[in-house]
Structure formats: C-alpha cells, structure tokens
Amino acid sequence: MKRIGVLTSGGDAPGMNAAIRAVVRKSIFMGREVFGIHRGYLGLINGEIKKMNLGSVADIIHRGGTILLTARCEEFKTEEGQQKAIDNLRKYGIEGLIVIGGDGSFRGALDLGKRGFPVIGVPGTIDNDIPCTDYSIGFDTAINTVIEIINKIRDTATSHERTFVIEVMGRDSGWIALESGLAGGAESILVPEVKFNIEQICDKLLKGYRRGKLHSIIIVAEGAARGFDIGEAIKERTGFETRVTVLGHIQRGGTPTAMDRILASRLGAKAVDLLIQGERNKMVGIKGKDIVAIDLDKVLSEKKEFDFNIYELANTLSI
Ligand code: F6P
C-alpha cells in the first residue's frame, strides 16, 4: 500500500488533530504518501483531496476541532455517493482510508469496506459511545471542560444557595454525565441508561437542605431528559430557587487534554500500521493499556457498555 487517505467525519472532537498528525507522520515515516480528504464523506464525493506532508500537520497537536473539516453527508448513504467516493479515491491512487469519527462515520466506512475498499476506523467522539474501546478521542477533554464549568457554577450556586441543573451532551449515551458528575461531585446524575425518579431526586435534595447544604448540582445527560424540564420539576416539588445551564457545543471545543493527545497519537499510528499490514475493515481502540483492533462489523453490531459500578459509586458518594 503506497498511498493512504485520511478524513474526519461527524461531530468534531478535541484530539482529532492529534490523530490526523499521527496518521500523516506515521505514514511518511513508513515511506508512504498520505492524502487528506476535506469535509468528510462530502469532500470525498466532491473530490476535495490534497496531498499532505510533515509541515501540513505542524503546530496542530494542541488544537481542538479538525484541520480537515468535517460534515454530515446524506448523499454518501446512497450507492451512487459511495461509488463516486471510491472513484475519487482510485483517481488519486489511494489504496486505504482511515476514518476518524463516531459510529455514523464507521457505518460509512464499512459501506466502503464492503465494496472492497480497505478502511480503518479511529474512534473520535466526545460521547464515548463507541463499543469495543474503553475511550474515544475527545471524551477526556469534554469531561474536563464540564468539570471546569461545574466548579464555576458551584461558586455562584453556593453564594445564592441555589439548585443548579446542568445539561450535558452525549446523544443517547450517559458517559459524559456519568464521569463529569462523579468528578464534579454532583448530587444526582441523570443518564439514559438508568430510569430516574424525580420524587427520589427531590427527596435527596430536601434531605441535604435539612442537613444545611447550601447548594446542589444535578447533571442531566441530554439523552435522559431536558435540563429545563428537570429544573421546573424540582422547583415545583421543592420550592428551591433553581437555575438551568445547557452546556451545548462548548463541550466540543478547546485544547485537547494530554490523555486525548496521547490516545489520538497511539490510535492514529496503529491505524496506519494495520493498513500497511494488509488489515481492513477494523477499528482501533484502547482496552486497558493496550491498543487493539476489532472488526468494524462487530463494533457496529454492539452497544457501548455503561459502567453501572461508577454510577453506583457516584450515588454512594453523593448521599
Ligand atoms: O456526537 C457529538 C455530539 O456533540 C452529541 O453529543 C450531540 O448530541 C450532537 O453531536 C450535536 O450535533 P450537532 O453538532 O450536529 O448539533
């Protein structure tokens, strides 16, 4: 394999640039040429393909977002779209493609794989909802962003003796809420994986209040409920002064943490190794300390496990 292509697709995630850098530099180190595809699958269909060199990825390891740009592309879901993409890859002599993104991006990658084009997926999403890997690129940065904001909200929540509801991203997954909630010392964490009971949440708040607690923080995953609805429900039942903050896309930006840069560098480099070794239709992931390769078919047929032990621990510690 002489020429490798790389693209980012779906929602951006901090650390994607570090992954692109790893793919480009490892490919060149291995004597291969590498091409960057702009705007994900949309750019692949439109032929937005440029050769990259060592300098193309200089000074990007610390930057959030993706220098290759990203897009969500409906046309790629069609057979014609996929054929155009393969034609463009062949036009540039690209023999293998590395796709950095989430599960939607991997579905697209597998479509190419099933048409005979070698692909390797690199998990990049703040949601951490990809099965077969402990973490995806961007998650660590996102939860650090969330806890920084929880700290700030705590200051004002304490001063005014208020209850704060903070809605976080995660799509259908509760991982961001779970880990930022534990690290941020939230009183309650609402996730789509566990049915919640608003009466119990309010009882806990009232108990805390009777003990002299000055403020409370409730973390709500967007997949569990709307933060504003929870805020209303709490106010109605407890009479507490309640405020709601929806964090939104702030969670997708910012300089990646060391953890995300290291993960991205390891996964990006491994993806190149796999392509060169003749592997195809795999995803690279991290299990414990090890970088592993898993069939994309398997990844897409499973659901990411939720860590109920961490959830229980968070409940125990916020008694
Ligand atoms: O998948 C990443 C994510 O940020 C989700 O947490 C969120 O639900 C979604 O993307 C938002 O998508 P968009 O940026 O298209 O509004």
Side-chain angles (χ1 to χ4, degrees):
M1 177 161 310
K2 288 207 183 83
R3 292 184 166 185
I4 292 173
V6 57
L7 63 79
T8 49
S9 161
D12 62 347
M16 278 184 164
N17 280 330
I20 296 166
R21 174 179 178 270
V23 168
V24 171
R25 297 239 163 127
K26 179 75 192 233
S27 298
I28 294 172
F29 178 83
M30 300 295 284
R32 269 57 181 197
E33 290 182 287
V34 58
F35 289 75
I37 294 119
H38 288 219
R39 297 188 178 79
Y41 293 117
L42 185 67
L44 195 50
I45 288 175
N46 294 335
E48 296 181 70
I49 301 174
K50 277 200 191 114
K51 185 162 180 206
M52 300 183 84
N53 54 43
L54 294 175
S56 325
V57 291
D59 203 25
I60 66 165
I61 196 165
H62 61 296
R63 295 212 182 134
T66 159
I67 59 159
L68 290 178
L69 310 178
T70 183
R72 304 194 201 270
C73 176
E74 282 305 308
E75 193 186 347
F76 190 73
K77 291 181 183 152
T78 66
E79 285 202 7
E80 300 75 48
Q82 288 163 21
Q83 196 49 55
K84 271 194 217 168
I86 290 182
D87 292 345
N88 278 331
L89 287 163
R90 298 231 160 97
K91 196 164 115 192
Y92 283 82
I94 298 169
E95 294 159 292
L97 180 67
I98 294 174
V99 172
I100 305 167
D103 62 344
S105 312
F106 292 165
R107 268 173 229 291
L110 196 56
D111 286 337
L112 290 183
K114 289 195 168 146
R115 286 169 167 267
F117 198 88
V119 289
I120 302 288
V122 175
T125 165
I126 63 163
D127 299 338
N128 203 31
D129 60 348
I130 314 261
C132 310
T133 180
D134 293 345
Y135 293 107
S136 57
I137 298 165
F139 173 68
D140 187 63
T141 307
I143 58 172
N144 276 287
T145 300
V146 176
I147 62 168
E148 201 183 312
I149 295 166
I150 295 177
N151 294 344
K152 289 186 171 150
I153 286 181
R154 239 176 220 293
D155 291 343
T156 174
T158 319
S159 310
H160 285 264
E161 301 179 59
R162 282 171 171 162
T163 298
F164 264 86
V165 174
I166 304 176
E167 183 188 305
V168 299
M169 279 187 167
R171 211 181 283 275
D172 305 321
S173 155
W175 272 92
I176 295 180
L178 174 69
E179 295 216 344
S180 64
L182 174 63
E187 271 61 41
S188 294
I189 302 170
L190 278 59
V191 291
E193 292 83 354
V194 183
K195 208 167 178 297
F196 67 89
N197 178 330
I198 194 73
E199 306 299 338
Q200 272 175 12
I201 293 168
C202 292
D203 285 350
K204 191 172 178 185
L205 290 175
L206 286 163
K207 238 197 248 166
Y209 178 75
R210 282 187 223 111
R211 262 191 358 241
K213 229 172 180 311
L214 292 184
H215 71 277
S216 296
I217 306 273
I218 317 290
I219 302 291
V220 181
E222 64 177 350
R226 279 168 40 96
F228 281 101
D229 295 341
I230 299 298
E232 270 305 306
I234 290 175
K235 197 168 151 200
E236 237 170 58
R237 286 168 174 79
T238 61
F240 291 167
E241 205 180 353
T242 307
R243 294 288 186 272
V244 179
T245 305
V246 178
L247 296 190
H249 287 80
I250 230 173
Q251 296 159 94
R252 287 245 294 267
T255 184
T257 58
M259 285 270 282
D260 270 331
R261 296 182 201 190
I262 292 164
L263 179 64
S265 302
R266 294 181 74 194
L267 294 180
K270 179 72 176 181
V272 173
D273 277 340
L274 290 178
L275 273 185
I276 290 174
Q277 286 158 14
E279 293 279 4
R280 50 179 62 203
N281 307 348
K282 300 251 158 133
M283 180 192 82
V284 287
I286 183 156
K287 280 278 171 197
K289 286 186 175 159
D290 300 326
I291 300 297
V292 293
I294 315 100
D295 283 333
L296 269 176
D297 253 333
K298 177 173 162 62
V299 174
L300 292 173
S301 66
E302 291 187 8
K303 196 168 160 40
K304 169 91 176 178
E305 273 177 33
F306 186 72
D307 197 327
F308 292 98
N309 291 329
I310 298 182
Y311 180 79
E312 281 312 317
L313 176 64
N315 274 335
T316 304
L317 301 184
S318 64
I319 193 169

